[in-house]
Amino acid sequence: MAEQRRDERDERDGRDGARGVPEPSGREALAAEADAWQDLVATARRTVTEGLVVGTSGNVSVRVGDTVLVTPSGVPYDRLAPGDVTGVDLDGRQVLGTLPPTSELPMHLAVYRTTDAGAVVHTHAVHATAVSTLVPELPAIHYMSAALGGTVRVAPYATYGTDELAANMLRALAGRSGCLLQNHGTVTYGATLAQAYDRTAQLEWLCHLWLTASAVPGLTPALLSPDQVASAAEKLKRYGRRQG
């Protein structure tokens, strides 16, 4: 993939300043950052083992205070170690580590600057990416659409790693916690890495469901109304809570 190839080039060139990333500050990771880095690496590895990305495509980030920890560019996730912690501030200046951040850093930072997100997951999940090439939004085919805020919009295509892509993504995310990127993949966010990842997995499942139902000749999938989705959203707010 082009994004993966660019990330691999960035890994080679980043140490020579080819991407214009400032020299890292050299400060040590705080205890909370070190713990968050372990969770980030585990989540990134999960995107591979569960088939949501291939190789080093896709990326994951988590916010700790005013620092955003992010997967580095072009490094296989199974090779990431505690000493590879990579972090930037909200302006994109590198404050932790020596590995260059992912090429999709503008997209991650755009989410943190405009939402209360604690973590962001970006994947190239197959079914979700397929849907992104077919429709302007994923219809409400199941009540779990409510977990993402309703029908999932598709952000218009733009070159990866650009401010244009980040802007398109933000428009698609308005009132939602996830969106599709046309001919590209998915973006979801949450309060935690676990929540952001769960929303990614749910989005891929919803896309798989819609493609499966839509493929039956002569039949059209039944869809939920906005009121039905809103009702499900209210129930989901209470899901898993103790009653009384």
Side-chain angles (χ1 to χ4, degrees):
M1 301 176 185
E3 181 179 342
Q4 183 174 347
R5 290 197 298 270
R6 176 180 169 182
D7 276 348
E8 289 168 350
R9 289 197 303 272
D10 288 346
E11 179 190 9
R12 294 192 300 269
D13 298 341
R15 295 182 178 87
D16 299 324
R19 295 184 65 225
V21 177
E23 286 297 315
S25 68
R27 76 169 176 85
E28 294 293 325
L30 303 175
E33 292 168 339
D35 290 342
W37 177 252
Q38 289 186 329
D39 291 340
L40 179 148
V41 171
T43 301
R45 290 173 179 170
R46 191 177 176 191
T47 65
V48 177
T49 59
E50 298 191 8
L52 298 177
V53 303
V54 176
T56 60
S57 63
N59 24 78
V60 178
S61 67
V62 62
R63 182 173 178 174
V64 181
D66 291 330
T67 299
V68 175
L69 306 181
V70 63
T71 46
S73 177
V75 181
Y77 301 141
D78 61 357
R79 297 183 189 175
L80 290 175
D84 293 325
V85 58
T86 303
V88 301
D89 63 19
L90 292 173
D91 292 321
R93 292 184 290 265
Q94 189 158 358
V95 296
L96 285 172
T98 59
L99 296 173
T102 174
S103 58
E104 292 291 12
L105 185 60
M107 197 161 60
H108 288 259
L109 293 179
V111 175
Y112 292 116
R113 290 171 185 150
T114 57
T115 74
D116 59 356
V120 177
V121 176
H122 164 52
T123 79
H124 293 178
V126 172
H127 298 97
T129 304
V131 170
S132 80
T133 71
L134 297 172
V135 291
E137 67 177 17
L138 173 67
I141 194 168
H142 190 276
Y143 69 79
M144 283 306 295
S145 297
L148 297 166
T151 55
V152 180
R153 305 184 191 99
V154 178
Y157 180 80
T159 303
Y160 68 91
T162 62
D163 291 335
E164 181 185 6
L165 176 60
N168 291 350
M169 173 206 65
L170 285 181
R171 286 190 288 271
L173 280 176
R176 303 290 189 269
S177 57
C179 73
L180 300 174
L181 307 175
Q182 189 178 53
N183 297 86
H184 187 154
T186 70
V187 174
T188 60
Y189 71 87
T192 64
L193 277 167
Q195 186 178 59
Y197 184 86
D198 182 65
R199 287 172 172 170
T200 295
Q202 290 287 355
L203 178 52
E204 170 66 354
W205 181 83
L206 287 167
C207 288
H208 192 179
L209 174 63
W210 184 79
L211 287 171
T212 302
S214 299
V216 179
L219 297 176
T220 301
L223 302 176
L224 301 181
S225 69
D227 286 345
Q228 288 172 322
V229 174
S231 177
E234 286 301 312
K235 290 204 70 172
L236 287 171
K237 289 178 183 178
R238 301 188 296 273
Y239 182 76
R241 295 183 181 177
R242 288 183 180 271
Q243 300 299 315

